[in-house]
Every structure is written in structure tokens, then in C-alpha cells.
């Protein structure tokens, strides 16, 4: 079975989240007839609880823009300019602290707003949206009708059609218990902290983060993320049943594990009654093609194929890069059949070129730092140039990979930063 690329190319995309919308926009711009399956209307998106806390770097936003997603132009400016990193073993004394700037401002948009607006615009551009909760039987029907079916929802039974890639899946279970809040009222009294993502690390128990976000009302807020090691002292989530309880737990964790931030978060309040989310994520990788009972293939995208821990904020970025790469591959084809093996090969190339680096980078932030990372942290303490260079790798994790295999490599990274050497990926990259 394969996809005929010709005058009447058609696709069904199951899932209208960030990944599905990105692919739908890009395919429609390339002349495909697209059927987008959504289980929520734009207005229903706006009535949900918090969905995720991802932040996109400008390189990733550029890939969405290339597909035709232009919602960022209508948003208020509440971007993040960089990172404020603090590590404390006892929650009181800061053992390590540095600040660094991104290469360009990063933007976190309330997923409820992003998906609602992008879906509205897709409809306005005459995109075909079918509101339906898809089943395997539906996939069979669409696979018979269309040239391709792409599964873009990583939740529920459909993602289970895709076989786990055991060789690339490092963890057998979630490494953190997660609590996400979208809040108002965080104070950042010092000028140098305005617009920064606060990373507060406890080596034994987990991490606390907060940073700027755009709320679904298009107003400035902060997103707060707690990452607690399961069963550890930060794992206080049992019994949380509403947003006010979640808020109190988060504030108590800042008091106990990042005491220097306690005053800043003491007045925070939920941005809306549903602005919180509790969960756990197992980082994993799945095979890119699933086989339906009929033998027809369906193709995974985004977090169907790569699930990343949110600590490094790379889930949305990895999805944007992967879909951009897929769109380029489909545009390059003119006439030949796109077979199962083509799709598998395309994902394999993306994994080797970019995907594995997003995964490694994300896992680094939930593991004890190796000697090379410790060297980079130490150099960042001493030099703002090194800190800026290190923080800028959030926009393209691949560029860091050749510097973390040894202390010598990390020292070379620091020297180059002091010399003003621009970061470049080790191999050609999109």
C-alpha cells in the first residue's frame, strides 16, 4: 500500500492539536485535499482545563509559519528572553546560579488558545474539519478513501496502534509526577528576572519551573511546572482534586525547595478556574507506521512517535521540526508512490539527523549531570558568554551534542563561547 502523489492527493489527519494542525496547514498549502478530524470545536477548546505547557523557540515558530500558521502576529508580547538557573540541595542555600539568554525570544501560548485560533483559521481558509472521535474502524474507512491517513493524537487507543521502539525508549515508566498551573500574580521584582524562565533544581527530589505565557484570553500570565520524582519529598500530589489545592501544593513546594522564590509566588492565583493539570509522562519513541487489521498503513506524527518529558520544553519543538521535515519530503516527491518503507526511511533519517538529539537533550534535564555537563555549568557560572551559548541550545539541541561526551569537549564549548564562535550543528541541518 502507498500514497500516489499526483493531481488528486488527499489525506485524513486524525487529531487537531499542534501537530495535526501544523500538518493540515502545510498539506493544504501544498495542494492536498485535507480532511482534519477534530474531537473539539474552537469554542470547546476554550472551555477545557490546561492542556500543556510547551514553549516554542523561534526556530520552531518559523517552521509553523512556513506552513501558514500566523497566529503569533495577533498575540500580546509576553515572550521569554532566557533562563535563570538555580540549584539547591537544601531548598534554602543556592549552590549554583547563572542566567543566560536565548538566541531569540521564545513564546509559550496557552494550548487552548493556540488550537482554538488555528482551527478557526483553518476553517476560514476553507479547510475541511470533521468533528468526530475516531476509531480503528474509521481509520480503515479513511485509509480506503484517501492517499494517506496521519495519526496526530498521542492520547487514547489510536497511539497504541504504533509499536513501541524498545531500542530507543530509555525508560520503562514516567520519571516525574507533573503538576502544571497557569497563574497570575507572580512577582519578579528584579529587572534582570523579567521575561526569564526560572529553573529551580533539587538534585534529589525534582524541579520547579515558572515562566511567561500568553493566556487563552490573550493576556500575560505565567505557567508553573512542578516535576517531582515519584515517591520523593516533592511528590505531594496525592489527593489533589481541584485547582485551589494544586495551587497551595505548588506554593508549599517553592517554600520548601526554592525558598528564594517563595515571596515571588506567594500571591499567585489561577488564571482561570480550569488552569491546572496533573499527570505523568513516560518518555518514549514509537515506530512510525502502524498496520490496520486490513493491512493498510497509517502514519504517525508528533507526539504519537516521540514523547518527551516536559522539563526541557522540547516536545512542541520536536514536533514542529518533525512535521516540517515530513512536509519537505512530501513536496519533493513528484509522481512516485510513497510506500510504507519511504515513510519509515524518512522518519529514520529525521531521527538520526535531529530527533534523537531532542530526546537526549530532554532526558539530560531529568538525569544527574555527567562530568561534561557539570563543566558547562561551572563555566556558565564564571562567564555570561558561556551561559548565553548554553541556553541558546534550547533552540536547536543538536548543536550541543558534540560537546557533552567529555570534559575536554565541554571546555572547547566554553572557549568557543568566549571567542564569540557561533554555534553550528555538527552536520548539515534544516
Amino acid at each position: 500500500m502507498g500514497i500516489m502523489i499526483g493531481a488528486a492527493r488527499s489525506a485524513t489527519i486524525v487529531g487537531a492539536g499542534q501537530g495535526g494542525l501544523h500538518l493540515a496547514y502545510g498539506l493544504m498549502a501544498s495542494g492536498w485535499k485535507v480532511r482534519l478530524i477534530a474531537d473539539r470545536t474552537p469554542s470547546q477548546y476554550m472551555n477545557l482545563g490546561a492542556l500543556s505547557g510547551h514553549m516554542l523557540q523561534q526556530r520552531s515558530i518559523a517552521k509553523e509559519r512556513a506552513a501558514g500558521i500566523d497566529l503569533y502576529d495577533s498575540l500580546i508580547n509576553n515572550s521569554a528572553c532566557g533562563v535563570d538557573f538555580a540549584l539547591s540541595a537544601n531548598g534554602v542555600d543556592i549552590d549554583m546560579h547563572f542566567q543566560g539568554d536565548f538566541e531569540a525570544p521564545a513564546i509559550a501560548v496557552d494550548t487552548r488558545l493556540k488550537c482554538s485560533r488555528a482551527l478557526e483559521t483553518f476553517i476560514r481558509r476553507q479547510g475541511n474539519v470533521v468533528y468526530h472521535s475516531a476509531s480503528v474502524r474509521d481509520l480503515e474507512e479513511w485509509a480506503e478513501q484517501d492517499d494517506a491517513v496521519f495519526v496526530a493524537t498521542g492520547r487514547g487507543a489510536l497511539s497504541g496502534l504504533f509499536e513501541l521502539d524498545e531500542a530507543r525508549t530509555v525508560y520503562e515508566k514516567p520519571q516525574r509526577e507533573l503538576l502544571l498551573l497557569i497563574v497570575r500574580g507572580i512577582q519578579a521584582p528584579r529587572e534582570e528576572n523579567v521575561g526569564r524562565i526560572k529553573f529551580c533544581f533539587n538534585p534529589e527530589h525534582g524541579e520547579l519551573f515558572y515562566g511567561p505565557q500568553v493566556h487563552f484570553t490573550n493576556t500575560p500570565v505565567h505557567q508553573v511546572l512542578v516535576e517531582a520524582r515519584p515517591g520523593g519529598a516533592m511528590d505531594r500530589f496525592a489527593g489533589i482534586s481541584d485547582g485551589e489545592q494544586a495551587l497551595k501544593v505548588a506554593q508549599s513546594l517553592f517554600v520548601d525547595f526554592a525558598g528564594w522564590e517563595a515571596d515571588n509566588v506567594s500571591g499567585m492565583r489561577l488564571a482561570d478556574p480550569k488552569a491546572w493539570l496533573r499527570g505523568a509522562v513516560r518518555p518514549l519513541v514509537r515506530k512510525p507506521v502502524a498496520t490496520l487489521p486490513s493491512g493498510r498503513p497509517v502514519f504517525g506524527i508528533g507526539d504519537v512517535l516521540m514523547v518527551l518529558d516536559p522539563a526541557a520544553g522540547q516536545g512542541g519543538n520536536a514536533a514542529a521540526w518533525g512535521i516540517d521535515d515530513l512536509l519537505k519530503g512530501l513536496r519533493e516527491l513528484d509522481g512516485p508512490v510513497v510506500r510504507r518503507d519511504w515513510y519509515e526511511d524518512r522518519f529514520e533519517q529525521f531521527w538520526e539527523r535531529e530527533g534523537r538529539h531532542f530526546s537526549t537533550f530532554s532526558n539530560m534535564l531529568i538525569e544527574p549531570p555527567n562530568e561534561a555537563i557539570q563543566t558547562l555549568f561551572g563555566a556558565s557560572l564564571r562567564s555570561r558568554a558561556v551561559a548565553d551559548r548554553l541556553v541558546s541550545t534550547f533552540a536547536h539541541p543538536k548543536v550541543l551534542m558534540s560537546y557533552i561526551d567529555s570534559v575536554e569537549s565541554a571546555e572547547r564549548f566554553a572557549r568557543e563561547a568566549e571567542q564569540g564562535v557561533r554555534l553550528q550543528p555538527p552536520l548539515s541541518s534544516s
Side-chain angles (χ1 to χ4, degrees):
M1 297 288 180
I3 309 165
M4 290 301 299
I5 304 297
R9 295 173 296 180
S10 63
T12 293
I13 300 169
V14 183
Q18 174 187 298
L21 285 161
H22 186 171
L23 182 61
Y25 271 72
L27 289 180
M28 192 163 70
S30 296
W32 287 62
K33 180 181 178 182
V34 177
R35 171 170 40 200
L36 179 61
I37 309 300
D39 60 1
R40 303 177 181 104
T41 66
S43 62
Q44 286 173 333
Y45 262 116
M46 300 292 265
N47 287 318
L48 296 173
L51 293 174
S52 69
H54 74 262
M55 174 173 284
L56 288 191
Q57 299 287 333
Q58 285 293 335
R59 289 176 186 247
S60 304
I61 290 172
K63 295 180 185 303
E64 289 192 341
R65 287 183 183 276
I69 297 176
D70 57 4
L71 64 91
Y72 300 97
D73 297 333
S74 63
L75 300 179
I76 61 161
N77 181 16
N78 195 34
S79 57
C81 64
V83 166
D84 181 284
F85 177 97
L87 183 148
S88 174
N90 63 14
V92 177
D93 303 306
I94 299 177
D95 304 312
M96 178 182 296
H97 176 254
F98 63 83
Q99 292 184 336
D101 287 341
F102 294 134
E103 62 176 15
I107 301 175
V109 183
D110 191 328
T111 308
R112 297 172 291 183
L113 173 64
K114 181 174 182 178
C115 292
S116 176
R117 285 200 177 180
L119 188 55
E120 283 181 339
T121 302
F122 183 76
I123 296 168
R124 193 163 56 246
R125 295 178 184 178
Q126 308 305 311
N128 177 26
V129 178
V130 176
Y131 297 106
H132 184 67
S133 182
S135 66
V136 173
R137 179 178 295 180
D138 295 320
L139 296 186
E140 291 279 21
E141 180 180 340
W142 297 324
E144 184 176 1
Q145 295 171 356
D146 290 327
D147 297 319
V149 173
F150 298 98
V151 178
T153 174
R155 299 172 182 171
L158 296 188
S159 64
L161 293 171
F162 294 82
E163 181 184 353
L164 186 70
D165 191 327
E166 301 278 0
R168 291 170 176 167
T169 299
V170 177
Y171 304 107
E172 295 183 356
K173 59 185 179 180
Q175 298 301 292
R176 296 291 190 272
E177 293 292 328
L178 306 174
L179 184 65
L180 173 70
L181 305 170
I182 303 173
V183 303
R184 304 187 193 276
I186 283 186
Q187 302 299 315
R190 298 191 302 276
E191 180 66 27
E192 67 270 20
N193 287 332
V194 174
R196 295 197 178 280
I197 304 170
K198 292 297 191 79
F199 281 23
C200 307
F201 280 71
N202 180 283
E204 183 178 358
H205 299 299
E207 303 82 33
L208 299 162
F209 305 85
Y210 70 80
Q213 189 189 54
V214 178
H215 188 241
F216 73 66
T217 55
N218 200 15
T219 55
V221 290
H222 282 85
Q223 58 178 335
V224 175
L225 176 65
V226 180
E227 293 228 346
R229 291 185 183 274
M234 284 179 64
D235 186 0
R236 302 176 182 174
F237 304 156
I240 291 178
S241 59
D242 61 47
E244 290 304 315
Q245 290 178 335
L247 189 67
K248 290 177 182 178
V249 168
Q251 288 171 320
S252 74
L253 290 170
F254 275 99
V255 170
D256 293 345
F257 294 95
W260 61 94
E261 295 289 351
D263 287 343
N264 290 342
V265 304
S266 62
M268 69 181 183
R269 63 193 187 279
L270 291 178
D272 63 84
K274 298 180 180 180
W276 70 285
L277 176 68
R278 178 187 168 189
V281 174
R282 178 193 178 188
L284 55 81
V285 181
R286 296 189 180 99
K287 301 287 182 67
V289 182
T291 303
L292 297 175
S294 66
R296 293 187 177 92
V298 291
F299 308 103
I301 65 166
D303 63 4
V304 171
L305 303 186
M306 293 176 58
V307 179
L308 306 179
D309 187 279
Q314 293 299 321
N317 292 287
W321 283 64
I323 293 163
D324 180 74
D325 180 80
L326 173 59
L327 287 168
K328 288 176 180 176
L330 293 172
R331 285 195 296 268
E332 290 167 2
L333 289 169
D334 185 17
V337 172
V338 180
R339 300 177 301 272
R340 175 195 304 267
D341 58 351
W342 180 90
Y343 200 86
E344 291 171 339
D345 183 63
R346 188 77 192 185
F347 179 75
E348 185 69 21
Q349 291 181 45
F350 173 75
W351 172 262
E352 288 299 321
R353 188 172 59 253
E354 302 289 352
R356 62 192 176 100
H357 303 305
F358 284 107
S359 179
T360 299
F361 189 86
S362 294
N363 292 343
M364 276 171 33
L365 284 191
I366 57 174
E367 293 290 348
N370 64 22
E371 289 188 352
I373 299 299
Q374 292 179 47
T375 299
L376 290 176
F377 284 168
S380 296
L381 288 171
R382 298 186 297 271
S383 168
R384 181 55 180 266
V386 178
D388 286 348
R389 195 178 199 236
L390 179 60
V391 167
S392 288
T393 63
F394 276 80
H396 193 185
K398 177 178 182 174
V399 300
L400 182 63
M401 294 303 107
S402 61
Y403 295 99
I404 59 172
D405 57 350
S406 68
V407 170
E408 291 75 20
S409 296
E411 291 172 341
R412 176 165 54 88
F413 180 99
R415 287 196 303 272
E416 291 177 0
E418 295 284 7
Q419 296 165 2
V421 176
R422 182 176 173 81
L423 276 170
Q424 298 290 345
L427 298 172
S428 60
S429 173
S430 56

